[in-house]
Amino acid sequence: MLAIQDGSPLANIRRASLLAASCKFSELAPVEAEASPVVNLYLADENSPGHAVSANDASNYLRRLQRAVARLAKARRGRRADVSRLFPADFDLARLNVAAATLGSLNIELTPDKPDVEDNQLPVPGPSWAEIGIAELIHALPDSDESEASIDSLIGASPVVKRAVSDLVDGLNGADITLGISLRKGGEISASSRITSEQAREIKRRLDQAREDRYIVRILGRLDGLRTRRQLFYFEARAGSEIHGFVEESLIDAVKRNIDKEVEITVEVAVQLTQSGKASQRHYRLVAIGGVEAELPGLGGEQ
């Protein structure tokens, strides 16, 4: 939550920004006032007796999770495609607090922070920036050890989403750790992901490219389908080709309205180049459909 000074134009803008961002995530819908949101982080060392996780690994992943959430929250607040620098205030606005933990294979319960409300100030209703950031992160990650399609679509995701995922998986690369993240609202899991150490290494390998070219194209065709759980869209271009790629949460409703219809879409195409100059296949991110634009804009120039 953010505290706002009643009647302040700047505060009203901040309030509107938070509410607009939060409404894009169905799992962040309001529940009973007493049902506080809870984030669960699960860590298991695949090579350790009892899957016990070292204190050093636990603290490392907690720091990385907080950094990823703060980065995504900052991008959603400012409607920015990328965020390279974070400041103390960015962490304060998207803070996660440790509420409980169990030993062995580690289960850590985190609660999104709710800053104190000062005199003559009103709290903004709805989810906090920490909740919005964690929901964005979970949707970008695989949901199981068979989520090859979601790993592939991640290459076309917004640069800030890829930075946030890198914040997390760079730490997983050095150890055989399985990582699970879930968001619970009203006692029920509303979003979850699971990453094995093998998946983390594969994600890191794909993200560690020497250079990346991005450009914007508009395509007319039929929207064939949508996988909301992993945010994948499928599209048949009028020219006959078929593409699929990453769709951000802010466009999910617009995509649903246009399924099986002919529509113009705008996609950002990402092509990664290795140090040897070899180019990857094209990866797509939906940035607009039927006149509705994503909250995280594209970076590439139009072709």
Side-chain angles (χ1 to χ4, degrees):
M1 283 194 177
L2 292 176
I4 64 167
Q5 184 69 41
D6 191 20
S8 164
L10 179 59
N12 288 338
I13 292 174
R14 294 173 67 192
R15 176 190 179 96
S17 176
L18 176 58
L19 294 179
S22 68
C23 74
K24 304 299 181 182
F25 293 90
S26 58
E27 62 268 32
L28 300 184
V31 294
E32 292 85 358
E34 65 273 13
S36 299
V38 175
V39 177
N40 283 101
L41 177 67
Y42 168 79
L43 294 170
D45 189 331
E46 299 163 11
N47 298 321
S48 174
H51 301 300
V53 176
S54 71
N56 185 61
D57 282 339
S59 63
N60 178 34
Y61 299 138
L62 278 171
R63 286 195 301 269
R64 290 180 176 277
L65 176 66
Q66 178 66 86
R67 187 171 188 83
V69 169
R71 190 184 301 280
L72 290 168
K74 183 173 184 177
R76 293 300 294 264
R77 289 199 313 273
R79 298 173 68 92
R80 296 166 60 178
D82 200 5
V83 171
S84 58
R85 298 184 65 186
L86 292 170
F87 300 95
D90 299 321
F91 289 97
D92 290 341
L93 284 172
R95 174 171 165 160
L96 296 168
N97 294 324
V98 176
T102 59
L103 302 178
S105 55
L106 191 64
N107 283 280
I108 303 174
E109 188 173 286
L110 304 162
T111 55
D113 190 49
K114 297 179 180 179
D116 293 334
V117 179
E118 300 177 4
D119 292 340
N120 300 320
Q121 291 185 332
L122 299 174
V124 174
S128 65
W129 286 116
E131 291 176 70
I132 292 170
I134 198 72
E136 187 87 63
L137 179 64
I138 288 174
H139 276 296
L141 296 171
D143 60 346
S144 71
D145 55 7
E146 299 179 352
S147 295
E148 176 64 25
S150 63
I151 294 177
D152 187 62
S153 72
L154 177 62
I155 307 305
S158 171
V160 71
V161 171
K162 292 163 66 173
R163 280 186 191 268
V165 171
S166 290
D167 286 339
L168 200 63
V169 300
D170 280 355
L172 290 172
N173 189 58
D176 290 331
I177 300 288
T178 294
L179 168 69
I181 309 172
S182 65
L183 175 64
R184 287 194 285 116
K185 298 276 286 185
E188 297 183 357
I189 295 178
S190 57
S192 64
S193 66
R194 180 181 175 86
I195 313 173
T196 65
S197 58
E198 183 177 349
Q199 285 176 312
R201 283 189 281 269
E202 175 62 14
I203 291 172
K204 187 176 188 302
R205 182 188 69 79
R206 296 197 191 189
L207 294 180
D208 284 350
Q209 300 294 325
R211 185 166 62 87
E212 181 180 76
D213 289 337
R214 285 180 177 262
Y215 57 90
I216 299 291
V217 296
R218 291 180 172 83
I219 309 173
L220 185 64
R222 186 180 71 88
L223 188 63
D224 187 50
L226 171 70
R227 282 185 60 195
T228 56
R229 185 172 177 84
R230 289 298 99 185
Q231 294 182 239
L232 287 166
F233 76 93
Y234 298 87
F235 189 80
E236 295 180 355
R238 180 180 285 182
S241 59
E242 297 183 356
I243 65 171
H244 67 274
F246 190 88
V247 53
E248 289 167 4
E249 192 71 19
S250 61
L251 284 178
I252 291 294
D253 288 343
V255 171
K256 288 180 178 178
R257 291 194 299 269
N258 285 282
I259 287 180
D260 205 27
K261 296 180 181 178
E262 186 164 280
V263 64
E264 182 180 79
I265 65 171
T266 302
V267 294
E268 183 174 56
V269 184
V271 179
Q272 293 185 320
L273 303 176
T274 64
Q275 292 181 350
S276 64
K278 183 179 179 180
S280 73
Q281 67 184 51
R282 295 182 181 91
H283 299 276
Y284 301 92
R285 177 170 75 98
L286 190 65
V287 295
I289 177 170
V292 180
E293 297 183 355
E295 290 193 358
L296 298 181
L299 283 180
E302 188 168 347
Q303 281 197 358

